[in-house]
């Protein structure tokens, strides 16, 4: 989907209003299209505290529009259901009390059909508001609507990673989507790309949409560094396993070694051996492990241990951002589909995903960095409830860059900062090696 961009200082003129309507309808329809292969029972399950049921996602992104736009700006708006403010509030203390995150899977009511009715109700009210709002409200409505659409797209990726975990817990190992023919790996140059370093500017620049955590732009110093031209593959990672990587305490951070022992990790999440052969659970069901695809579903701890084993290190956020900025935005990302999803999985490298210096720079897997998710110098959350969107999570997490096979196009950019806890591995998370130049 093309990203609709507005200057916040300008009122919404008629053509821009049409673009905003189109973007709204497109993003909202896409969320439903992504669920088309799922039963209503699939959409209720919560397989672990970090996973939200699909139905909850569909309602929560709707709650976002209702809470921050309709209740604030639609004259005389009456909420669809008074209890939904509580049920579908994720973490906004400014809005009020919320239903506990680990208990979202207990919400058998409202039914799936009622959630779809809620979506349709809010869609209609939103489109009415965008059509009839007075001119002086237009810039603020644009800003909030574009934020709401970007928020919904973030949840589209979470819906895919969450349902993958849900289905992986079912002994039948069901497929969510049809699988396309496997992509063929194309031999491309494999090596290291060198970068000079020096003083560089990091963070968002330009007029396009960015989240507040990508700002302000600021200067950092980088020593010369090199990046591997491709992400670490399943073949690479299998060599680490077969070399006893999960048994070698000296490769691991102390916290990581503790998790390896307590969780009994011996391979990435979703890897399993059948008849002596490694397989991987995918959104298209269980498949033989594709050795040429980037390794996915590894934690920060595993990525860090692998890098140490390989005689390299993880890149910093700044190093990856500078490298990504020099690459064309192309890659294996969430496909644009009207009536369902293609199989979402990291793929072997292909000629069309080769860039200037790196292969698969964007898409396939989020790449762990060695950088804490922290505020940029001078960062200030926006005033009000939406200031809770990013800033309060800047503690104990690590930054990931580049987007994955489940990331919507509009979220694939060099300055984008994804973040997860170091033990997390249910996202499409992989790595790329770095070393001194
Ligand atoms: Fe959210």
């Amino acid at each position: 989907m093309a990203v609709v961009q507005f200057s916040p200082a300008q009122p919404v003129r008629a053509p821009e209003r049409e673009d905003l309507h189109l973007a709204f309808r497109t993003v909202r329809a896409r969320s439903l299209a992504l669920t088309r292969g799922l039963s209503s029972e699939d959409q209720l399950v919560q397989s672990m505290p970090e996973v939200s049921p699909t139905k909850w996602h569909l309602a929560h992104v709707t709650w976002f529009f209702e809470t921050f736009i309709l209740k604030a700006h639609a004259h005389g708006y009456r909420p669809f259901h008074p209890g939904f403010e509580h049920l579908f509030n994720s973490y906004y203390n400014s809005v009020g009390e919320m239903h506990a995150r680990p208990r979202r899977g207990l919400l058998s009511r409202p039914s799936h059909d009622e959630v779809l009715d809620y979506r349709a109700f809010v869609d209609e009210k939103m489109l009415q508001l965008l059509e009839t709002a007075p001119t002086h409200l237009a810039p603020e409505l644009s800003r909030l609507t574009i934020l709401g659409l970007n928020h919904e797209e973030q949840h589209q990726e979470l819906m895919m990673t969450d349902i993958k975990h849900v289905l992986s817990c079912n002994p039948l190992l069901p497929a969510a989507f049809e699988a396309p023919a496997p992509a063929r790996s194309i031999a491309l140059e494999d090596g290291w790309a060198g970068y000079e370093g020096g003083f560089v500017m990091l963070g968002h620049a330009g007029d396009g949409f960015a989240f507040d955590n990508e700002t302000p732009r600021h200067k950092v110093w980088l020593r010369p560094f090199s990046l591997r031209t491709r992400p670490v593959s399943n073949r690479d990672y299998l060599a680490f396993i077969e070399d006893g990587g999960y048994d070698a305490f000296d490769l691991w951070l102390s916290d990581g070694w503790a998790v390896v022992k307590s969780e009994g990790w011996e391979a990435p999440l979703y890897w399993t051996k059948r008849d002596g052969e490694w397989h991987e659970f995918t959104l298209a069901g269980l498949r033989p492990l594709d050795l040429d695809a980037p390794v996915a579903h590894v934690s920060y701890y595993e990525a860090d241990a692998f890098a140490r084993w390989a005689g390299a290190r993880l890149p910093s956020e700044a190093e990856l951002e500078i490298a990504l900025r020099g690459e064309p935005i192309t890659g294996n990302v969430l496909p644009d589909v009207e009536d369902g999803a293609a199989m979402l999985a990291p793929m072997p490298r292909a000629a069309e995903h080769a860039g200037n210096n790196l292969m698969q720079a964007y898409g396939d897997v989020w790449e762990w960095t060695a950088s804490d998710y922290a505020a940029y110098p001078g960062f200030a959350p926006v005033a009000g409830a939406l200031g809770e969107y990013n800033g309060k999570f800047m503690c104990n997490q690590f930054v990931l860059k580049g987007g994955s096979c489940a990331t919507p196009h509009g979220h694939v950019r060099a300055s984008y900062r994804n973040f997860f806890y170091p033990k997390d591995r249910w996202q499409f998370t992989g790595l790329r090696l770095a070393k001194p130049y």
Side-chain angles (χ1 to χ4, degrees):
M1 188 202 82
V3 177
V4 182
Q5 299 172 349
F6 296 92
S7 164
Q10 300 296 318
V12 177
R13 296 183 297 275
E16 292 175 336
R17 183 186 290 151
E18 286 170 20
D19 287 348
L20 193 56
H21 274 228
L22 178 62
F24 184 86
R25 288 195 300 268
T26 303
V27 171
R28 297 285 286 167
R30 196 174 195 201
S31 297
L32 295 182
L34 288 168
T35 69
R36 216 150 277 165
L38 307 176
S39 69
S40 53
E41 291 86 352
D42 291 336
Q43 298 188 49
L44 173 60
V45 177
Q46 180 170 28
S47 50
M48 64 176 176
E50 294 90 341
V51 159
S52 295
T54 308
K55 186 177 78 173
W56 187 91
H57 283 295
L58 292 174
H60 161 71
V61 292
T62 305
W63 168 94
F64 193 95
F65 287 110
E66 182 175 62
T67 301
F68 297 120
I69 300 181
L70 293 175
K71 286 183 180 176
H73 296 296
H75 184 68
Y77 178 76
R78 294 169 66 88
F80 179 81
H81 188 297
F84 285 8
E85 177 168 300
H86 174 88
L87 290 186
F88 300 121
N89 180 0
S90 51
Y91 52 68
Y92 294 87
N93 292 304
S94 308
V95 174
E97 292 283 316
M98 63 213 68
H99 181 71
R101 185 184 186 195
R103 299 169 70 82
R104 290 172 184 167
L106 301 179
L107 299 176
S108 57
R109 309 291 176 90
S111 69
H112 182 238
D113 282 347
E114 286 173 291
V115 167
L116 295 183
D117 289 344
Y118 178 40
R119 287 182 65 90
F121 177 85
V122 166
D123 284 352
E124 184 185 330
K125 300 294 183 191
M126 275 295 300
L127 291 170
Q128 268 176 17
L129 179 64
L130 294 176
E131 190 66 43
T132 61
T135 305
H136 73 275
L137 268 183
E140 178 68 353
L141 283 179
S142 282
R143 186 182 73 83
L144 292 171
T145 303
I146 290 169
L147 177 63
L149 294 176
N150 277 275
H151 170 252
E152 181 146 353
E153 288 184 321
Q154 287 186 314
H155 277 272
Q156 288 171 354
E157 175 154 11
L158 293 174
M159 281 165 51
M160 296 298 95
T161 52
D162 286 0
I163 198 64
K164 182 172 180 177
H165 191 264
V166 164
L167 296 176
S168 78
C169 295
N170 185 322
L172 296 176
L173 296 176
F177 307 116
E178 296 290 317
R184 288 193 58 190
S185 182
I186 296 174
L188 295 170
E189 191 176 345
D190 178 14
W192 294 84
Y195 298 83
E196 288 182 346
F199 279 112
V200 296
M201 296 299 291
L202 286 194
H204 172 71
D207 295 331
F209 175 86
F211 288 104
D212 59 356
N213 63 0
E214 298 168 59
T215 65
R217 197 163 166 85
H218 60 286
K219 187 185 281 185
V220 299
W221 170 256
L222 281 182
R223 301 174 71 175
F225 64 97
S226 299
L227 294 178
R228 192 74 186 259
T229 53
R230 61 173 175 79
V232 169
S233 68
N234 286 329
R235 188 188 307 278
D236 300 329
Y237 202 84
L238 189 55
F240 166 73
I241 294 174
E242 291 177 343
D243 195 41
Y246 281 91
D247 299 317
F249 67 87
D250 52 338
L251 293 175
W252 295 80
L253 294 167
S254 176
D255 285 357
W257 185 243
V259 179
V260 166
K261 292 289 130 187
S262 65
E263 298 294 321
W265 286 351
E266 297 179 334
L269 181 65
Y270 302 132
W271 282 32
T272 183
K273 259 189 178 169
R274 294 288 167 96
D275 301 324
E277 298 292 325
W278 282 107
H279 286 66
E280 183 176 28
F281 181 72
T282 73
L283 282 163
L286 194 66
R287 301 184 131 215
L289 188 67
D290 187 335
L291 292 174
D292 291 318
V295 68
H297 301 294
V298 292
S299 63
Y300 174 85
Y301 298 133
E302 289 163 298
D304 174 80
F306 177 91
R308 192 165 294 110
W309 172 81
R313 60 172 174 81
L314 294 178
S316 69
E317 175 181 14
E319 288 170 341
L320 261 189
E321 180 164 336
I322 292 305
L324 286 171
R325 205 181 289 163
E327 301 296 334
I329 298 186
T330 176
N332 173 23
V333 297
L334 187 70
D336 275 321
V337 287
E338 297 296 326
D339 57 356
M343 187 182 80
L344 310 174
M347 294 289 188
R349 58 187 184 271
E352 64 268 28
H353 297 158
N356 297 322
N357 292 306
L358 305 180
M359 290 175 270
Q360 296 164 294
Y362 292 105
D364 285 301
V365 290
W366 288 102
E367 296 176 11
W368 283 108
T369 76
S371 300
D372 293 322
Y373 177 52
Y376 284 165
F379 169 78
V382 297
L386 287 170
E388 294 188 60
Y389 198 113
N390 279 313
K392 70 183 188 180
F393 299 106
M394 292 173 172
C395 180
N396 295 334
Q397 307 200 57
F398 285 86
V399 174
L400 301 101
K401 303 292 279 186
S404 82
C405 56
T407 304
H409 282 289
H411 295 244
V412 179
R413 58 180 174 269
S415 63
Y416 196 100
R417 309 179 78 197
N418 201 354
F419 50 94
F420 280 95
Y421 292 99
K423 67 173 179 43
D424 290 340
R425 54 184 202 163
W426 90 107
Q427 300 299 307
F428 288 100
T429 47
L431 72 150
R432 181 184 303 267
L433 297 175
K435 65 178 186 180
Y437 185 61

